[in-house]
Amino acid sequence: MLWILLALFVVYPLAAMFGQAFLVDGRPSLAPLLSILALPNHRAAMWNSLVLGALVGVIGTAVGFLFAFTATRCNLPARWVRLLDVATLLPLISPPFTTSIAFVFSFGPRGLITYELLGVKGTNVYGLPSTLAAEVLTYFPIAYLALRPVLAAIGGNIEEMAFSLGSSRWRVFRTVTLPLTVPGLANAFLLLFAASLADFATPLILAGSRFPVLPTEAYLQITGLFDLKGGAVLSFLLLVPAAIVFLAQRYWVGRGHYVTVTGKSGAQSTLDGVSPGARAVLVAACAAVALSILYLYALLLYASVVVAFGANHALTLKHYVVIFTEGRKAIIDTLIIAFIGMPLGGLFGVLVGYLVARGEFRGRQAMEIASMVNYALPGTIVGIAYLIAFNDPPIALTGGALIIVACYVFRYSPTGTRTTIALLKQIDRGIEEASHSLGAGSFTTFRRVTLPLVLPAFFAGLGVVFIRSMTAISATIFLVSIDWVLITVRILENMTELSLGPAAAFSVFVIVLVMAVTSAISALLRRLPGPPGAASVAGLGG
Amino acid sequence: MAANPVAIRLEGISARFDHRVKGAVAAVDNVSLDVAPGELLTLLGPSGCGKTTTLRMIAGFQKPSAGRIQIGDQDVTEVMSNDRNIGFVFQNYALFPHLSVYENVAYGLRVRKLDDAAMRGAVGDVLALVGLKGYEGQMPHQLSGGEQQRVALARAIVIRPRVLLFDEPLSNLDAKLRVQMRGEIQRLQREVGITTVYVTHDQEEAMAISDRIAVMNKGVIAQLGSAEDLYQRPASAFVAKFIGRANLLRATVLARDGDRVTLDIAGRRHQAAATGAASSLGKTIQAVVRPEALAIDAAGAGASLPGTVVTRTYLGEKVEYLIAAGDETLQVVQLGPAEARRFPSGTSVGIRLPATGIHLIEEPEA
């Protein structure tokens, strides 16, 4: 059953996309590929995507490292760490283009900084620099989350050892800390590179026509020129680097980190890892980044409650009235889809995770990989593949809610799968054997022992599917129809129509809703009985 | 509690699997074993010897690739573990982390659909037995290691299993607690009288609690017997070295009259009462001499082996010496050492062999 679902919603769409891209009249051909590559604009898009990804990877990893290092080494007061956490959490749970919208408010032609403060007229916010900056601010938290545990695990005894051997702080950092972090840094870079490569919303708003990238080109090829074949080929071009990054990352992660060999970690180091001067610089840098994120979000909030940002700053709630009247359909549709997708995605994720971790059958690995594919691929590819696969009989789903739900379920349930696998790996098999030895059969054991123990993974999976259902755009923008509209798509329409107020109001609404649901789920997770470690494993990563 | 203890019988059981590198490997190779009703039998051996695999096959967690397993009159080889009515105590306790102490202990009773009143009574009794009354509402992660151990024990015995199986239950506890808990396990086992198989790699623990010990090595039982049997009459060099410490001296049997033997050890004649290696006249054998059976003399005294003290370790109630004698290094333990009989390292000494308690092993030197 799971195999059929995976084949239908993961393998088949990709195959259909390949067919579209490389079959001409039923025969394999490279002609579509060559004709697409012949256009300089598309070659530029490919190049731009790679450059942008590399830059976002390098800078984002650096910022993430800065944050992680500061959080783990500077003995910050708890309140400061919380500030860092909030600043990094916001971009993770927001719709992907909120930073971009705020950027327009801040640096656009009528932007707060460019127009109001500096008085520059006719600035052009669009292009590489702003896209880069927005993507770095949006995605560096991924690097932070990936690097923080690495740095925390390295700390303590190993560094004290180096100090005791007579190294200076800087020397310890250079010869011990940094080399040990290298695998983590590489991993973070690849994660960010992939995120940037897949990012659709930021370049759509900020890149402008002179800085085309692959996802937006593919989108325009399909929605502007109605050229499915061209879109498929462009997706394929995007697929190649994405697949390379995916494999490279699996390789790195598969090799594990150096950290694991250190065994039991010692007591938390009380030694100051940095000199007071360096500490001040680090904290200041982090505070600058954190404050600029908070500033952007504050700006977004402000823009949602004034009549017309940049022109008329009288307070008003009319944008909220607009989104709850004209925008009501989008809100209701999005919520319906999110609430249908949530339990399905959560359940599917846990089931696949359970089978992969505990099942004994051929093709377990294949199932794990198949379940991860849609998650790992850029959303644009998944969207286009679904569009191609389900547009015509035998399986015509486009235009309905089902296709959007399916897209979310298969794209975002892998978080639940991964959490389930991680939890089950933590849970000793002995616990299930203990249940057997006490006379319980397989079913009773599953119901009374295994299921309650993977419940945190189920809820974490629910949370992620919900958050992404509220905020995703790159895949589903190809799948919406007149009957089923999503909030994120409406925000994008508002942005292109320059009705910035409702766009800001929508964004604020989504962020508030997502935060409410996230904190409800974490509260629920905390109340679940179980080993103290379980809830943190189930944290809403990814 | 268990009115009629039952026997366990293993008939030629094996556990074979395909190893990635080594090919077909037998973790357990054709092992036969009878555990008497009410007995506490320990499977003892180094890691990888097959003891845990054997236990898991008795429990039904793993199917033997050959052989039969009998519990009482019933052949359970094909019976699922949940129908074998066993109590199993895991090395890491395997408490259900999401259930309270009460629910952990009651788990097996709920599976058996006991009514509430009877269950409360049974759980209360067994928690009193392991000294955990009042802990009913606690969660496993709030308990110390020793307390978790007791819960695991209570959970295993409350269902009145036919047999009780322990898989290195004390290895996660600190040394003092280990000694205390093994006493309690032994007391409980006597009290409830359940046939018990106990797995450990700790020979002292095995000797302290077992009626009989099966020493395992490389998937087979090297020797089966009481602690005294194993210590005084080890069947092989492996057992001699694994149970306590042993000096293995190459010797030739020059003459034998009953248990009186004349040995040639390092070119010196030695007469002693010895056991083992019955038909070894004229052969080169190994003489097992325990460190505490050797005595140290000042150099040149009598017919003792000459040697030089390599290290001397003072341990309070005893002193341990390593003494180089010829091409061998002997371990010698002086119990209740007197200040006058100090031999600092580098001292030339004589080692006196005992007149009794030598055990002979007939096998090529390992």
Side-chain angles (χ1 to χ4, degrees):
Chain A
M1 182 61 192
L2 290 179
W3 280 116
I4 296 173
L5 287 173
L6 285 172
L8 189 58
F9 289 103
V10 177
V11 182
Y12 170 61
L14 276 181
M17 193 190 83
F18 272 102
Q20 183 70 250
F22 290 107
L23 289 178
V24 177
D25 302 327
R27 271 176 298 130
S29 160
L30 287 179
L33 179 67
L34 296 176
S35 73
I36 286 288
L37 281 177
L39 287 172
N41 206 32
H42 291 145
R43 286 207 303 275
M46 176 136 189
W47 178 242
N48 287 345
S49 274
L50 295 176
V51 169
L52 181 66
L55 286 175
V56 170
V58 170
I59 300 174
T61 304
V63 178
F65 183 79
L66 170 78
F67 267 64
F69 190 79
T70 309
T72 52
R73 291 294 189 280
C74 286
N75 288 327
L76 286 185
R79 272 181 304 139
W80 283 78
V81 177
R82 265 197 77 78
L83 180 72
L84 292 189
D85 283 344
V86 170
T88 48
L89 186 66
L90 270 175
L92 280 181
I93 61 167
S94 315
F97 37 69
T98 34
T99 326
S100 319
I101 298 174
F103 249 72
V104 174
F105 288 140
S106 187
F107 302 108
R110 308 281 288 179
L112 183 64
I113 288 182
T114 42
Y115 183 75
E116 304 274 328
L117 288 179
L118 301 177
V120 184
K121 291 210 170 96
T123 46
N124 184 5
V125 65
Y126 308 103
L128 173 63
S130 57
T131 312
L132 175 59
E135 286 196 359
V136 166
L137 285 183
T138 310
Y139 294 123
F140 89 88
I142 300 176
Y144 168 66
L145 288 182
L147 288 172
R148 196 177 155 167
V150 175
L151 276 172
I154 291 172
N157 291 352
I158 294 190
E159 286 180 1
E160 280 173 0
M161 185 63 210
F163 281 123
S164 76
L165 293 172
S167 290
S168 68
R169 288 183 173 116
W170 169 241
R171 198 184 162 80
V172 169
F173 177 77
R174 203 163 42 81
T175 58
V176 177
T177 316
L178 209 52
L180 285 175
T181 325
V182 163
L185 289 174
N187 183 30
F189 171 80
L190 291 173
L191 285 172
L192 293 192
F193 185 80
S196 164
L197 206 59
D199 192 8
F200 166 76
T202 311
L204 195 61
I205 292 176
L206 284 179
S209 54
R210 284 180 296 125
F211 187 71
V213 293
L214 280 176
T216 49
E217 281 301 291
Y219 171 68
L220 295 175
Q221 198 77 20
I222 288 177
T223 53
L225 305 173
F226 302 102
D227 177 9
L228 263 184
K229 192 173 275 303
V233 172
L234 284 171
S235 306
F236 172 74
L237 290 181
L238 186 58
L239 178 76
V240 175
I244 292 172
V245 167
F246 177 67
L247 292 176
Q249 204 231 340
R250 267 189 87 93
Y251 175 72
W252 274 109
V253 173
R255 292 213 317 187
H257 302 290
Y258 295 137
V259 181
T260 47
V261 302
T262 65
K264 203 172 177 182
S265 71
Q268 189 60 250
S269 173
T270 47
L271 213 60
D272 278 338
V274 288
S275 64
R279 180 168 185 260
V281 172
L282 287 173
V283 172
C286 282
V289 176
L291 286 178
S292 52
I293 290 172
L294 294 179
Y295 154 75
L296 288 174
Y297 279 85
L299 204 59
L300 190 69
L301 181 63
Y302 180 66
S304 74
V305 293
V306 296
V307 177
F309 188 84
N312 181 353
H313 284 196
L315 289 182
T316 174
L317 283 179
K318 72 168 187 170
H319 301 311
Y320 287 94
V321 174
V322 168
I323 67 166
F324 286 116
T325 51
E326 287 172 37
R328 230 179 73 174
K329 178 165 170 47
I331 291 179
I332 291 176
D333 285 357
T334 306
L335 284 175
I336 289 177
I337 286 171
F339 279 113
I340 296 176
M342 197 162 72
L344 292 179
L347 205 62
F348 185 76
V350 168
L351 269 178
V352 173
Y354 180 77
L355 286 178
V356 168
R358 286 287 200 262
E360 279 165 16
F361 57 91
R362 279 163 180 280
R364 262 189 327 143
Q365 277 237 298
M367 176 177 272
E368 186 187 3
I369 291 172
S371 75
M372 298 294 295
V373 165
N374 277 10
Y375 175 69
L377 288 180
T380 318
I381 298 182
V382 178
I384 292 176
Y386 270 47
L387 183 62
I388 292 170
F390 301 120
N391 209 11
D392 302 307
I395 314 160
L397 297 174
T398 40
L402 180 63
I403 190 170
I404 303 178
V405 170
C407 178
Y408 285 148
V409 166
F410 289 93
R411 203 161 137 66
Y412 297 120
S413 60
T415 310
T417 303
R418 295 239 61 91
T419 321
T420 307
I421 293 174
L423 263 179
L424 284 174
K425 276 189 181 154
Q426 261 199 347
I427 297 168
D428 192 89
R429 233 165 224 262
I431 290 184
E432 282 151 271
E433 287 172 352
S435 172
H436 286 297
S437 78
L438 292 168
S442 298
F443 178 72
T444 312
T445 301
F446 182 77
R447 187 173 60 81
R448 301 265 328 261
V449 176
T450 317
L451 200 60
L453 288 176
V454 297
L455 218 51
F458 175 66
F459 282 112
L462 287 188
V464 170
V465 175
F466 181 80
I467 293 175
R468 296 304 162 197
S469 305
M470 296 302 293
T471 60
I473 184 157
S474 54
T476 33
I477 193 161
F478 297 101
L479 307 176
V480 292
S481 60
I482 300 171
D483 296 330
W484 292 92
V485 194
L486 297 174
I487 296 178
T488 45
V489 178
R490 282 302 300 269
I491 299 179
L492 208 61
E493 286 169 10
N494 284 332
M495 284 304 289
T496 44
E497 292 159 10
L498 290 179
S499 41
L500 303 180
F506 264 130
S507 303
V508 171
F509 171 73
V510 169
I511 294 171
V512 169
L513 193 64
V514 165
M515 279 180 127
V517 171
T518 315
S519 43
I521 286 180
S522 350
L524 198 67
L525 279 178
R526 268 197 298 279
R527 289 189 39 190
L528 280 181
S536 61
V537 172
L540 301 172
Chain B
M1 279 163 101
N4 297 309
V6 298
I8 303 171
R9 156 165 268 180
L10 310 183
E11 282 175 32
I13 59 166
S14 297
R16 295 194 185 87
F17 60 95
D18 281 321
H19 191 276
R20 265 183 309 128
V21 185
K22 300 183 207 155
V25 184
V28 175
D29 194 6
N30 197 20
V31 163
S32 295
L33 181 65
D34 278 297
V35 187
E39 181 182 34
L40 197 165
L41 183 135
T42 296
L43 301 175
L44 173 68
S47 55
C49 71
K51 56 190 190 299
T52 294
T53 309
T54 306
L55 191 76
R56 291 172 59 82
M57 288 193 287
I58 301 175
F61 297 148
Q62 201 170 329
K63 235 188 180 152
S65 33
R68 324 273 333 150
I69 299 172
Q70 235 181 333
I71 297 179
D73 302 328
Q74 188 193 4
D75 183 332
V76 297
T77 316
E78 301 296 328
V79 176
M80 298 284 287
S81 69
N82 49 321
D83 294 323
R84 288 191 188 191
N85 197 13
I86 51 165
F88 199 103
V89 179
F90 291 83
Q91 178 170 6
N92 55 9
Y93 322 136
L95 298 182
F96 304 124
H98 60 301
L99 299 180
S100 65
V101 167
Y102 180 89
E103 284 301 325
N104 260 286
V105 177
Y107 187 92
L109 300 176
R110 286 199 193 280
V111 172
R112 286 165 176 73
K113 305 212 181 337
L114 221 65
D115 67 72
D116 270 2
M119 186 155 62
R120 256 196 303 282
V123 174
D125 287 348
V126 76
L127 282 179
L129 198 62
V130 297
L132 280 183
K133 229 176 169 49
Y135 281 69
E136 285 84 350
Q138 303 268 309
M139 298 304 286
H141 65 263
Q142 297 172 305
L143 304 179
S144 70
E147 288 162 351
Q148 293 188 18
Q149 174 67 74
R150 287 160 209 258
V151 176
L153 197 55
R155 184 178 67 178
I157 56 179
V158 75
I159 58 172
R160 302 181 178 217
R162 289 190 296 173
V163 298
L164 205 46
L165 307 173
F166 290 89
D167 183 12
E168 309 225 11
L170 304 180
S171 58
N172 286 347
L173 301 177
D174 63 53
K176 278 219 169 100
L177 204 51
R178 207 150 53 211
V179 172
Q180 183 195 340
M181 281 306 297
R182 83 183 182 210
E184 286 190 35
I185 288 178
Q186 191 182 27
R187 171 181 65 83
L188 269 171
Q189 196 266 340
R190 297 272 143 82
E191 247 167 70
V192 298
I194 304 175
T195 312
T196 299
V197 181
Y198 188 104
V199 161
T200 182
H201 64 267
D202 179 342
Q203 51 101 5
E204 186 187 314
E205 187 176 310
M207 293 173 89
I209 65 169
S210 316
D211 295 317
R212 283 193 303 160
I213 299 170
V215 180
M216 290 189 73
N217 187 29
K218 295 178 182 162
V220 299
I221 294 181
Q223 193 176 359
L224 173 65
S226 69
E228 280 94 341
D229 289 341
L230 298 177
Y231 192 74
Q232 288 164 6
R233 290 176 289 282
S236 62
F238 172 79
V239 175
K241 284 179 174 166
F242 199 80
I243 304 286
R245 289 182 299 169
N247 296 300
L248 293 173
L249 303 171
R250 280 174 64 90
T252 312
V253 182
L254 299 177
R256 176 151 207 161
D257 176 17
D259 63 351
R260 299 293 306 170
V261 291
T262 308
L263 301 172
D264 178 329
I265 297 177
R268 282 158 196 271
R269 274 174 177 265
H270 182 70
Q271 281 201 340
T275 50
S279 57
S280 55
L281 195 60
K283 285 185 196 157
T284 300
I285 45 84
Q286 294 191 80
V288 180
V289 186
R290 298 292 177 182
E292 68 276 10
L294 291 172
I296 307 177
D297 291 324
S304 49
L305 292 171
T308 309
V309 176
V310 179
T311 61
R312 171 182 186 274
T313 312
Y314 178 74
L315 291 170
E317 85 277 15
K318 64 184 175 186
V319 179
E320 295 182 358
Y321 289 95
L322 280 182
I323 296 175
D327 49 0
E328 308 208 48
T329 303
L330 301 181
Q331 309 174 52
V332 180
V333 170
Q334 266 186 332
L335 295 168
E339 194 58 21
R341 301 182 57 78
R342 277 184 71 148
F343 301 99
S345 63
T347 316
S348 292
V349 295
I351 303 164
R352 189 156 22 97
L353 294 168
T356 58
I358 291 180
H359 182 73
L360 306 181
I361 298 173
E362 223 176 326
E363 66 178 346
E365 205 168 338

